[in-house]
Amino acid sequence: MTIALITGASAGLGFALADALADRGWTLVIDARGADALEQARLGLRARTEVVAIPGDVTDPAHRKALLTAAGRLGRLDLLVNNASHLGPSPQPRLEHYPLSELSRVYEVDVFSPLVLTQLALPLLAASDGVVVNVSSDAAVEPYPGWGGYGSAKAALDQMTAVLAVEHPSLDVYAFDPGDMRTQMHQQAFPGEDISDRPEPATVVPAFIHLIEARPPSGRYRASDILSAPVVP
């Protein structure tokens, strides 16, 4: 039995990843802040695999502990996907006007919570030679106007991923950049705009699956690169 913990799994990329892993027989521990949406996700997955769904906020220490306790009860953890993210204000402000209280929330969700979840998961992951995937963004490396809050948080997550990889060479640790997707968060970033030309999250799932199955050297990988020239372990 292989077990994955995926945060932010009620919709968008998180649900698409959970759906693909369910098809492959992975047991899942999933979370999201919205209890109703998470329950709908669980109902959609349970016919194919065992699913433990725990609603809550990844910034809540008790919720994080509950997620890892659930994985521990299942006996192992093979994959941690830190997918839950917080965009910040919409529309996104330039840095000169960025409210620090909102910036703090962005970093709490996008940087500190993935770090703490990883800290809690390390003993289980080490026992299974596991994988950590931190979902990144092209905003981590491209200086788009207005993306200074979210982009800098994802850049910090990228660096944290790289350092974790060298500190734990027995694990495979990836920053996964899915590119633009037609998601609620992307719509939030572009309020009022038609984003129907963006690809659905399911289109990048083959890249994610290739990454965790091929298990190339730890590092930062873009879905578009994997799909155009699959990485070789």
Side-chain angles (χ1 to χ4, degrees):
M1 180 169 66
T2 47
I3 299 174
L5 193 168
I6 306 173
T7 63
S10 65
L13 179 62
F15 180 76
L17 299 179
D19 194 54
L21 292 177
D23 283 342
R24 288 161 175 78
W26 284 66
T27 296
L28 302 172
V29 179
I30 59 175
D31 92 330
R33 283 182 298 166
D36 292 343
L38 186 65
E39 176 61 10
Q40 288 302 310
R42 187 189 72 82
L43 294 174
L45 298 166
R46 69 175 183 178
R48 287 167 287 156
T49 192
E50 181 178 0
V51 185
V52 179
I54 303 175
D57 190 319
V58 292
T59 65
D60 178 0
H63 176 63
R64 292 191 296 245
K65 184 177 180 180
L67 292 173
L68 269 299
T69 298
R73 286 174 179 159
L74 291 169
R76 60 184 292 138
L77 182 63
D78 302 274
L79 170 65
L80 170 63
V81 183
N82 285 306
N83 170 68
S85 296
H86 181 62
L87 178 69
S90 176
Q92 296 206 79
R94 296 167 61 92
L95 282 175
E96 63 186 308
H97 301 304
Y98 210 104
L100 291 185
S101 60
E102 284 296 318
L103 186 61
S104 177
R105 171 69 179 169
V106 170
Y107 273 71
E108 284 285 344
V109 177
D110 297 357
V111 182
F112 303 149
S113 294
L115 172 59
V116 177
L117 271 176
T118 303
Q119 290 172 335
L120 293 171
L122 276 174
L124 287 172
L125 290 168
S128 62
D129 295 324
V131 180
V132 178
V133 179
N134 291 323
V135 176
S136 185
S137 167
D138 62 340
V141 294
E142 297 290 343
Y144 303 123
W147 289 77
Y150 182 82
S152 65
K154 289 297 185 181
L157 182 65
D158 279 6
Q159 179 66 358
M160 188 180 75
T161 303
V163 172
L164 184 70
V166 296
E167 291 179 343
H168 296 273
S170 65
L171 301 178
D172 289 316
V173 187
Y174 304 117
F176 177 69
D177 177 357
D180 287 350
M181 297 177 293
R182 198 184 315 167
T183 64
Q184 184 177 0
M185 176 179 286
H186 200 79
Q187 185 66 75
Q188 182 186 351
F190 299 96
E193 293 189 24
D194 180 6
I195 64 166
S196 61
D197 60 333
R198 274 68 161 185
E200 294 281 3
T203 60
V204 304
V205 168
F208 174 86
I209 295 297
H210 183 82
L211 185 66
I212 65 168
E213 291 183 347
R215 297 184 67 158
S218 294
R220 188 180 197 280
Y221 291 88
R222 297 194 311 172
S224 58
D225 293 336
I226 298 173
L227 292 172
S228 61
V231 295
V232 177

